[in-house]
């Protein structure tokens, strides 16, 4: 297999990253419209939440990317091509969270809306990671060299961890659990599914990034791990608070 693996639609050849990222946004949004709890929030207010999520995700994904190699970012602070070249999913998730909470405050909505985003995120992120895998080395989402049977040669003769595939498998494991909870209607509180998703994914990214060939300038951690750790602390505090509130209410 030669990387990147272009998608051929008739006479047109589309870069896999562009193709699958566009497909991820389209399918994810359609899944959101189809699966969202229509009794939780009216569609007009839900669209403002979506706008907040998109704006926050776009900004957060860029800001965290710039922290990957702060020295290089400072050198290219006036280089628009460099600044706009990359983005990160973790930054997008955390930035999207801030964007959603900001939008909710602006429209005066107090109920949790996160559960409606879990399945769209899982499906959209999985599709996007297919594009990362087919892009190969230039995408910088692969893992370090390995002797494992899962190793993939992305074109330079060196087997590497296909961390994109690991992530897809992990996301679908989360997805099966979420579907089970939704079917049984056993979610302990509103917002639990999104909190579970974020804790699970941030844990995965914290550990998987130890086998990512990116700079680790923050006391042995990289930018993703640092953000994941902060996000984990926030969500563990939030879950503890929710459990305490539920216990006090039950009494």
């Amino acid at each position: 297999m030669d990387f990147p693996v272009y998608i051929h639609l008739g006479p047109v050849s589309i870069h896999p990253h562009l193709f699958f990222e566009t497909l991820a946004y389209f399918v994810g949004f359609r899944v959101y419209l189809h699966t969202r709890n229509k009794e939780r929030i009216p569609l007009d207010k839900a669209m403002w939440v979506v706008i907040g999520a998109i704006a926050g995700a776009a900004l957060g994904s860029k800001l965290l990317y710039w922290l990957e190699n702060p020295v290089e970012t400072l050198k290219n602070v006036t280089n628009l091509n460099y600044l706009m070249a990359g983005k990160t999913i973790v930054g997008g998730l955390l930035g999207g969270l801030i964007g959603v909470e900001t939008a909710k405050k602006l429209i005066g909505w107090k109920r949790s809306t996160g559960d409606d985003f879990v399945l769209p995120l899982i499906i959209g992120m999985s599709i996007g990671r297919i594009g990362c895998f087919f892009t190969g080395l230039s995408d910088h989402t692969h893992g370090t060299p390995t002797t494992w049977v899962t190793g993939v040669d992305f074109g330079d003769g060196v087997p590497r961890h296909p961390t994109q595939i690991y992530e897809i498998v992990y996301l679908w494991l989360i997805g099966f659990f979420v579907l089970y909870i939704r079917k049984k209607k056993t979610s302990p509180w509103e917002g639990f599914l999104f909190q579970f998703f974020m804790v699970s994914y941030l844990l995965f990214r914290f550990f998987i990034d130890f086998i990512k060939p990116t700079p680790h300038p923050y006391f042995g951690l990289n930018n993703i791990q640092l953000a994941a750790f902060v996000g984990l602390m926030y969500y563990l505090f939030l879950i503890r608070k929710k459990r305490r509130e539920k216990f006090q209410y039950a009494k």
Side-chain angles (χ1 to χ4, degrees), residues 160-178:
R160 289 180 167 84
H161 285 291
T163 48
Q164 311 95 326
I165 303 302
Y166 298 166
E167 184 168 323
I168 292 171
V169 172
Y170 187 81
L171 284 169
W172 280 99
L173 289 175
I174 299 174
F176 287 135
F177 176 80
V178 169

Side-chain angles (χ1 to χ4, degrees), residues 39-193:
E39 298 176 357
R40 180 178 290 129
I41 180 171
L43 183 59
D44 60 332
K45 293 185 181 296
M47 289 302 97
W48 282 111
V49 171
V50 171
I51 292 171
I54 293 172
L59 181 58
S61 66
K62 285 296 178 187
L63 288 174
L64 193 55
Y65 163 71
W66 295 336
L67 291 174
E68 177 177 290
N69 190 334
V71 174
E72 196 65 26
T73 299
L74 287 173
K75 289 180 181 178
N76 290 274
V77 72
T78 59
N79 184 347
L80 189 60
N81 288 332
Y82 175 87
L83 295 177
M84 300 305 295
K87 51 187 175 291
T88 67
I89 287 181
V90 169
L93 288 173
L94 296 177
L97 168 67
I98 296 172
V100 165
E101 293 304 319
T102 302
K104 285 167 59 178
K105 286 185 181 298
L106 291 174
I107 64 175
W109 193 259
K110 298 184 182 298
R111 292 184 63 184
S112 174
T113 57
D115 288 349
D116 289 339
F117 287 98
V118 175
L119 289 178
L121 280 170
I122 289 173
I123 293 172
M125 289 163 63
S126 299
I127 294 172
R129 282 306 190 201
I130 296 173
C132 294
F133 177 81
F134 283 138
T135 297
L137 294 174
S138 62
D139 192 62
H140 305 295
T141 56
H142 55 80
T144 52
T146 181
T147 58
W148 288 16
V149 68
T150 55
V152 173
D153 177 3
F154 287 99
D156 64 348
V158 179
R160 289 180 167 84
H161 285 291
T163 48
Q164 311 95 326
I165 303 302
Y166 298 166
E167 184 168 323
I168 292 171
V169 172
Y170 187 81
L171 284 169
W172 280 99
L173 289 175
I174 299 174
F176 287 135
F177 176 80
V178 169
L179 287 171
Y180 176 80
I181 296 296
R182 282 171 62 107
K183 182 178 180 180
K184 296 294 184 179
K185 297 181 179 179
T186 55
S187 183
W189 57 77
E190 191 173 69
F192 170 79
L193 293 180

Side-chain angles (χ1 to χ4, degrees), residues 204-242:
F204 171 81
R205 288 306 305 269
F206 183 84
F207 287 107
I208 201 69
D209 270 60
F210 281 115
I211 58 170
K212 290 283 191 74
T214 56
H216 288 65
Y218 305 103
F219 303 100
L221 302 177
N222 66 11
N223 57 323
I224 301 297
Q225 292 170 305
L226 197 64
F229 180 79
V230 173
L232 280 168
M233 293 302 100
Y234 168 77
Y235 275 105
L236 291 175
F237 169 80
L238 182 61
I239 289 172
R240 183 182 179 186
K241 179 182 176 183
K242 291 288 186 181

